[in-house]
Amino acid sequence: MSSVGLSSIDVVWSLLAGCFLAALCVHQISRTYETSRLHILFQDLIRYGKTKQNLKRDDWLRVFDVPKRCFWHFYAVSVCWNGFLLALNLNLTFQHQSPPSWLTGIVDILTGVPSTDSHAPQLSTLLVQLLLWVHSLRRLLECLCVSVFSDGAMHLVQYVFGLGYYIILGLTALCSDHVAKGTGSLLSQLDCFHVAGVGLFIGASLLQHQSLVLLARLRTGKSGAVETLAHREPKGGWFELVSCPHYFSELLIYVSLTLVFRCLSLTWWLVVLYVLFNQALAAQLCHELYISKYESYPRNRKAFIPFVF
């Protein structure tokens, strides 16, 4: 692991991970208080899409609803922002042009480590930025061209958080730049961690895409035309192992980015911890919906991680 002590960016991800772990725990123990107003407010805040539609809530809470189909906004922001950061880093690597002072100032504040004038190319950081951009572009195209959204909603807080999430994530990649300083050319820095990370990223991305295609087909006919917006029981692929393989693959994607950093970045392990608890909560909510809605749904199927949770 990297340096002793937590930087500001580490604290941010630690707090986010702690908040979602707490939310998961509160959800598990609050089922006996389903009629209380506080419970409804809490459930309204953590649920979105199909898991939110049957929640009995006051009309005034619907003021904070944002259509779930706006998910593509998150990835559009990420493609633009993280593409911009990647371009700056490529310019630094190959043209030796320093990034804007405002950007280095932000990174200095988040890491607590003053930036240097070194222009040594860093393969790990470039790869993580590239993979993050590819991931965002794929998810944007899937939202626009593959997924079939119903009239489901998310909370305004979730929407605002989602808009800022990939901005913070892009900065986090830059903040992790100092933990695995490579020497020599980019090609000479290539090692088994990079190969394993990219391999896992590709495999996890294919799994996620396959799972999203299967979900979309629940609402389309053989011609690809939308036939219904109703929710159906997902089947096929990894849905035979877990209720939410698309969430499990999301976790694997972030693990792959940690591998690209040679497993040396404490910051990225904290990001993985956040993704673990965030996706576990979302998966648990979907899992409970499937069990309650479909009588034939396997009760022994796990929600998120095969054979574990």
Side-chain angles (χ1 to χ4, degrees):
M1 294 294 176
S2 59
S3 58
V4 177
L6 296 179
S7 64
S8 297
I9 193 66
D10 293 337
V11 172
V12 169
W13 288 111
S14 298
L15 288 174
L16 287 174
C19 286
F20 277 92
L21 173 60
L24 179 61
C25 294
V26 170
H27 170 70
Q28 297 284 30
I29 65 177
S30 66
R31 299 174 187 176
T32 56
Y33 306 97
E34 292 183 357
T35 59
S36 71
R37 184 175 297 272
L38 188 60
H39 173 82
I40 294 174
L41 289 173
F42 171 71
Q43 294 295 325
D44 185 51
L45 186 61
I46 66 172
R47 293 175 180 268
Y48 61 88
K50 57 182 174 287
T51 65
K52 194 185 190 81
Q53 289 182 327
N54 294 328
L55 182 65
K56 298 179 181 179
R57 51 193 180 126
D58 297 333
D59 289 339
W60 67 270
L61 287 174
R62 302 181 189 276
V63 174
F64 301 101
D65 283 359
V66 177
K68 189 191 172 186
R69 63 177 62 93
C70 291
F71 251 60
W72 71 269
H73 295 179
F74 307 151
Y75 303 113
V77 168
S78 181
V79 167
C80 294
W81 171 249
N82 288 300
F84 170 68
L85 295 181
L86 175 60
L88 288 178
N89 205 3
L90 288 172
N91 212 25
L92 171 65
T93 299
F94 296 107
Q95 300 297 328
H96 305 296
Q97 294 184 7
S98 299
S101 58
W102 59 265
L103 181 59
T104 56
I106 292 174
V107 173
D108 289 351
I109 292 173
L110 293 176
T111 61
V113 178
S115 56
T116 65
D117 295 328
S118 173
H119 294 152
Q122 300 301 317
L123 179 60
S124 293
T125 304
L126 283 173
L127 266 180
V128 166
Q129 288 184 300
L130 177 61
L131 295 178
L132 180 58
W133 185 82
V134 169
H135 171 65
S136 301
L137 179 62
R138 176 181 62 82
R139 290 296 293 118
L140 175 61
L141 293 176
E142 287 169 342
C143 284
L144 296 176
C145 305
V146 177
S147 298
V148 180
F149 293 101
S150 65
D151 56 353
M154 55 182 156
H155 199 283
L156 179 62
V157 172
Q158 294 174 323
Y159 179 73
V160 173
F161 176 80
L163 290 176
Y165 173 75
Y166 284 100
I167 294 177
I168 295 296
L169 194 63
L171 292 172
T172 303
L174 294 179
C175 291
S176 301
D177 185 68
H178 67 282
V179 301
K181 284 293 185 181
T183 58
S185 65
L186 292 176
L187 186 59
S188 67
Q189 296 177 35
L190 184 65
D191 61 21
C192 60
F193 283 102
H194 297 121
V195 175
V198 172
L200 179 59
F201 176 86
I202 293 173
S205 298
L206 290 174
L207 171 59
Q208 188 171 65
H209 179 71
Q210 178 200 48
S211 302
L212 293 172
V213 168
L214 288 174
L215 285 176
R217 287 178 180 171
L218 296 175
R219 294 176 172 175
T220 60
K222 294 182 178 179
S223 65
V226 178
E227 293 184 344
T228 180
L229 294 180
H231 301 293
R232 295 172 175 172
E233 181 181 345
K235 296 180 180 180
W238 279 52
F239 282 103
E240 303 300 325
L241 288 177
V242 290
S243 296
C244 301
H246 48 310
Y247 294 152
F248 175 57
S249 57
E250 184 80 0
L251 174 64
L252 293 181
I253 286 171
Y254 281 85
V255 171
S256 74
L257 298 180
T258 307
L259 281 173
V260 173
F261 274 126
R262 299 189 178 99
C263 298
L264 294 174
S265 174
L266 171 63
T267 303
W268 271 96
W269 280 115
L270 292 173
V271 173
V272 169
L273 197 63
Y274 155 76
V275 173
L276 171 65
F277 296 138
N278 173 278
Q279 299 296 285
L281 176 60
Q284 182 63 28
L285 294 173
C286 286
H287 185 67
E288 292 171 359
L289 175 67
Y290 294 155
I291 288 179
S292 64
K293 188 172 183 178
Y294 308 113
E295 293 184 0
S296 61
Y297 198 78
R299 296 302 192 266
N300 61 343
R301 182 172 296 170
K302 300 300 182 182
F304 179 36
I305 301 175
F307 313 112
V308 178
F309 174 79

